[in-house]
């Protein structure tokens, strides 16, 4: 398997060349919309995504080779959307109360993307050797419809990126000092391509210098709303082998400190202060634009500020995770399933900033964890974050009063005191080691399970656990009711 990474390269082409490339965008967008409509119609009719769409009769000012690139981009985008629907379908089924046999059939159908397979008779053939009951297919279609409402379908008519393959965007290595690479792009004028000079930077060259790396024979061209044209080249590299024999480190996400690790490290301590500084600039600017009747998206200054915020979140996330990945003794990261909505509410940020951070942060973390897995072999284990900030990693007691302040955690049962974020990271690590990740269980069920474990470990009645959880009881020493063997059966993370 290979990994594809794209890099934006600076271009020194003149404005005339950029204008000829940008002139392709309106026709490209129209073609993407048409290809998307035909692909969706074929999918819901036959149950399968087409491998190709014939565009020979489209016309519209583009050559046949350009239409081929448009069709390939539209089908790839729809295939990516179906992959997101598959993940959401799996989560819905896993959290349901359906029988094990029904879930097994649904998972198999979901993996085959056969939600709209033709239904004839009492059983529906999914592959040449297996079939499922027709009523399961009807249930799968209802679940898939629900999943589609949660996964936003892209409108390719508004896409501003053109993915051009080697037929219309040939990448050539430069033999002169004027540029490092040249991209020969076909334009609206038949037989009159433009040559775009590109200049490589260190990150691109380092990626290209890795063993077995190769430069992709296509170019991504993006035309911004203000007419700025940017170019990206892609590099194929092999997937790194998973790290073996190393230790697992728990990671807890936050705002005052971006992330804390179970081995006691705090990364990104100035994250919240920087976000508040950005918020102090964002709110007055948005209010001034609204008073003057200017849409926020039409303001170049507002778009630039939002882009700065997103880049800061991405760069800070990458920097902190790179510090962890630099330790070769770490083979796995135990992380909480990320949901920044609850954290940003505690940061005293504006609603607009909270929404921006939620979207940008989630995307940055997921992209970086995937990148570390593919590039360095660092594995990731997800656990449910419910009550990790309230659970003591020493004795297992869960109570809202355990967390005294944003930074201080002191258990009301055993008295253990630790930095709150580090304690949360250790709790996440403990859950990953117990193979009890609880990804598909609601918060109430998890709290009941934690109380049951605490009761069994320390020999308390369930009523005593409930009383400690619901009342402000003073700190007491652990009751010596459990034997040493029982206590050691629940591993602690120091």
């Amino acid at each position: 398997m290979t990994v594809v990474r794209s890099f934006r390269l600076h271009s020194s082409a003149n404005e005339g060349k950029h204008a000829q490339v940008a002139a392709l965008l309106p026709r490209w967008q129209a073609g993407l919309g048409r290809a998307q409509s035909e692909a969706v119609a074929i999918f819901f009719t036959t149950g399968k995504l087409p491998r190709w769409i014939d565009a020979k009769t489209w016309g519209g000012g583009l050559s046949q080779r350009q239409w081929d690139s448009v069709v390939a981009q539209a089908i790839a985008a729809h295939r990516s959307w179906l992959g997101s629907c598959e993940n959401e379908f799996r989560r819905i089924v896993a959290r349901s109360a359906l029988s094990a046999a029904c879930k097994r059939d649904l998972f198999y159908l979901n993996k085959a993307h056969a939600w709209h397979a033709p239904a004839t008779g009492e059983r529906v053939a999914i592959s040449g050797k297996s079939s499922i009951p027709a009523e399961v297919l009807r249930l799968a279609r209802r679940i898939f419809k629900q999943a589609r409402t949660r996964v936003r379908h892209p409108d390719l008519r508004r896409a501003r990126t053109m993915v051009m393959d080697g037929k219309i965007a040939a990448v050539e290595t430069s033999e002169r000092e004027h540029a490092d690479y040249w991209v020969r792009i076909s334009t609206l004028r038949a037989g009159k391509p433009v040559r775009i000079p590109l200049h490589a930077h260190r990150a691109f060259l380092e990626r290209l210098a890795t063993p077995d790396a190769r430069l992709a024979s296509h170019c991504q061209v993006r035309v911004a709303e203000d007419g700025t044209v940017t170019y990206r080249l892609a590099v194929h590299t092999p997937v790194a082998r998973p790290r073996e024999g190393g230790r697992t480190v728990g990671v807890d996400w936050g705002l005052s400190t971006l992330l804390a690790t179970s081995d006691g490290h705090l990364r990104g301590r100035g994250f919240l202060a920087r976000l508040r500084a950005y918020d102090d600039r964002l709110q007055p600017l948005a209010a001034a634009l609204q008073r003057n009747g200017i849409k926020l998206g039409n303001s170049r200054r507002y778009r630039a500020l939002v882009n700065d915020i997103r880049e800061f979140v991405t760069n800070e996330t990458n920097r902190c995770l790179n510090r962890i990945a630099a330790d070769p003794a770490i083979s796995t990261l135990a992380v909480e399933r990320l949901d920044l909505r609850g954290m940003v509410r505690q940061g005293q940020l504006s609603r607009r900033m909270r929404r921006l951070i939620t979207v940008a942060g989630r995307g940055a973390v997921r992209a970086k964890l995937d990148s570390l897995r593919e590039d360095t072999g660092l594995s990731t284990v997800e656990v449910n974050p419910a009550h990790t900030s309230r659970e003591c990693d020493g004795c297992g007691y869960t109570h809202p009063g355990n967390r005294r302040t944003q930074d201080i955690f002191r258990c009301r049962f055993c008295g253990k005191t630790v930095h709150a974020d580090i304690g949360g990271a250790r709790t996440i690590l403990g859950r990953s080691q117990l193979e009890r990740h609880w990804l598909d269980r609601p918060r109430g069920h998890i709290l009941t399970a934690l109380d049951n474990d605490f009761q069994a470990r320390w020999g308390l009645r369930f009523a005593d656990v409930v009383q400690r959880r619901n009342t402000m009881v003073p700190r007491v020493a652990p009751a010596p009711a459990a034997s040493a063997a029982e206590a050691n059966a629940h591993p602690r993370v120091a």
Side-chain angles (χ1 to χ4, degrees):
M1 294 181 62
T2 60
V3 182
V4 182
R5 291 281 186 274
S6 64
F7 297 84
R8 176 180 172 180
L9 302 186
H10 172 70
S11 173
S12 57
N14 57 49
E15 294 299 327
K17 291 184 176 182
H18 290 321
Q20 293 186 59
V21 175
L24 290 167
L25 182 63
R27 293 175 172 83
W28 199 282
Q29 291 174 323
L32 286 175
R34 182 171 180 176
Q36 183 181 28
S37 299
E38 294 192 14
V40 170
I42 295 174
F43 172 75
F44 284 107
T45 302
T46 65
K48 296 181 179 180
L49 186 66
R51 299 182 61 182
W52 196 249
I53 297 175
D54 188 5
K56 293 181 179 179
T57 60
W58 284 11
L62 297 183
S63 67
Q64 185 58 47
R65 293 182 302 171
Q66 291 169 331
W67 282 129
D68 290 343
S69 289
V70 171
V71 170
Q73 181 178 349
I75 293 178
H78 197 72
R79 184 178 294 111
S80 177
W81 176 75
L82 288 179
S84 300
C85 291
E86 176 188 354
N87 295 334
E88 185 61 31
F89 186 102
R90 187 188 307 114
R91 281 192 287 267
I92 294 174
V93 174
R95 296 173 181 176
S96 68
L98 297 172
S99 64
C102 184
K103 286 185 176 181
R104 182 179 63 250
D105 290 339
L106 288 173
F107 286 143
Y108 182 76
L109 182 147
N110 183 55
K111 185 178 181 179
H113 289 192
W115 310 287
H116 285 271
T120 56
E122 296 182 355
R123 298 191 67 84
V124 180
I126 302 301
S127 63
K129 297 182 180 180
S130 61
S131 62
I132 62 172
E135 58 269 17
V136 175
L137 177 62
R138 291 191 290 269
L139 175 61
R141 290 181 177 179
R142 293 197 296 268
I143 298 175
F144 181 65
K145 183 177 181 180
Q146 182 181 1
R148 285 162 45 203
T149 62
R150 300 182 181 181
V151 180
R152 183 178 179 181
H153 194 277
D155 185 1
L156 297 183
R157 296 171 300 178
R158 303 175 59 184
R160 307 197 67 87
T161 299
M162 299 178 287
V163 182
M164 303 179 178
D165 59 21
K167 296 179 182 179
I168 62 174
V171 181
E172 304 170 352
T173 303
S174 175
E175 297 180 355
R176 302 179 180 179
E177 297 182 355
H178 178 68
D180 297 309
Y181 295 92
W182 291 88
V183 182
R184 189 178 70 251
I185 299 178
S186 301
T187 63
L188 296 177
R189 301 171 59 189
K192 299 292 184 179
V194 295
R195 291 168 57 86
I196 305 296
L198 300 180
H199 304 272
H201 49 74
R202 186 181 65 179
F204 176 82
L205 295 175
E206 289 178 351
R207 186 77 178 184
L208 196 58
T210 56
D212 299 325
R214 62 182 178 87
L215 184 64
S217 60
H218 67 268
C219 179
Q220 298 178 14
V221 181
R222 175 172 176 78
V223 183
E225 295 180 355
D226 60 359
T228 303
V229 184
T230 56
Y231 306 87
R232 302 180 73 94
L233 297 184
V235 178
H236 293 259
T237 54
V239 177
R241 298 180 58 183
R243 299 183 183 184
E244 298 179 354
R247 71 179 191 274
T248 301
V249 173
V251 177
D252 180 67
W253 304 103
L255 280 183
S256 59
T257 300
L258 180 57
L259 63 86
T261 63
S262 56
D263 51 7
H265 294 290
L266 299 174
R267 308 291 186 190
R269 298 192 185 189
F271 186 67
L272 181 57
R274 186 73 176 272
L275 290 181
R276 287 174 177 168
Y278 274 122
D279 203 14
D280 292 340
R281 296 168 54 191
L282 183 69
Q283 284 302 100
L285 177 59
L289 293 173
Q290 292 174 344
R291 282 196 304 268
N292 290 278
I294 302 175
K295 292 184 177 180
L296 301 182
N298 294 336
S299 170
R300 180 181 299 181
R301 183 181 174 188
Y302 181 84
R303 294 198 306 266
L305 179 57
V306 170
N307 187 61
D308 286 346
I309 297 172
R310 290 173 176 168
E311 289 184 350
F312 165 71
V313 174
T314 301
N315 292 338
E316 193 69 2
T317 300
N318 293 347
R319 182 186 68 83
C320 294
L321 288 176
N322 284 337
R323 294 286 299 276
I324 299 176
D327 187 351
I330 300 176
S331 61
T332 306
L333 295 182
V335 300
E336 54 186 335
R337 172 172 284 178
L338 196 60
D339 186 359
L340 296 176
R341 291 172 296 181
M343 289 189 291
V344 296
R345 294 192 192 102
Q346 303 174 2
Q348 298 179 357
L349 300 172
S350 66
R351 180 178 299 180
R352 180 175 288 103
M353 176 62 79
R354 294 201 302 265
R355 183 168 57 249
L356 180 61
I357 296 305
T358 299
V359 176
R362 185 190 302 118
V365 170
R366 289 178 178 174
K368 186 58 182 178
L369 290 177
D370 290 341
S371 174
L372 290 177
R373 176 180 56 82
E374 296 168 346
D375 297 340
T376 68
L378 189 63
S379 304
T380 301
V381 177
E382 276 193 343
V383 302
N384 195 314
H387 305 288
T388 53
S389 62
R390 302 175 177 182
E391 179 186 356
C392 177
D393 66 283
C395 67
Y397 181 54
T398 305
H399 192 283
N402 285 347
R403 188 158 185 171
R404 304 297 180 90
T405 64
Q406 180 67 28
D407 298 331
I408 299 177
F409 180 98
R410 182 175 182 179
C411 180
R412 295 167 56 86
F413 184 75
C414 69
K416 181 174 182 177
T417 303
V418 68
H419 191 283
D421 294 332
I422 295 176
R426 292 174 178 173
T427 301
I428 292 171
L429 174 61
R431 290 188 185 181
S432 69
Q433 291 176 337
L434 291 173
E435 298 184 357
R436 187 173 56 183
H437 307 160
W438 289 325
L439 288 177
D440 300 314
R441 298 185 64 177
R443 291 178 58 87
H445 291 183
I446 294 177
L447 181 58
T448 300
L450 292 174
D451 287 343
N452 289 337
D453 291 346
F454 182 76
Q455 174 191 7
R457 182 175 183 181
W458 299 109
L460 299 175
R461 298 176 304 167
F462 185 75
D464 297 333
V465 178
V466 174
Q467 181 183 11
R468 292 180 180 278
R469 190 183 67 197
N470 296 333
T471 60
M472 299 293 292
V473 297
R475 181 177 65 88
V476 297
S483 64
E486 292 173 341
N488 292 331
H490 300 267
R492 301 185 182 186
V493 181

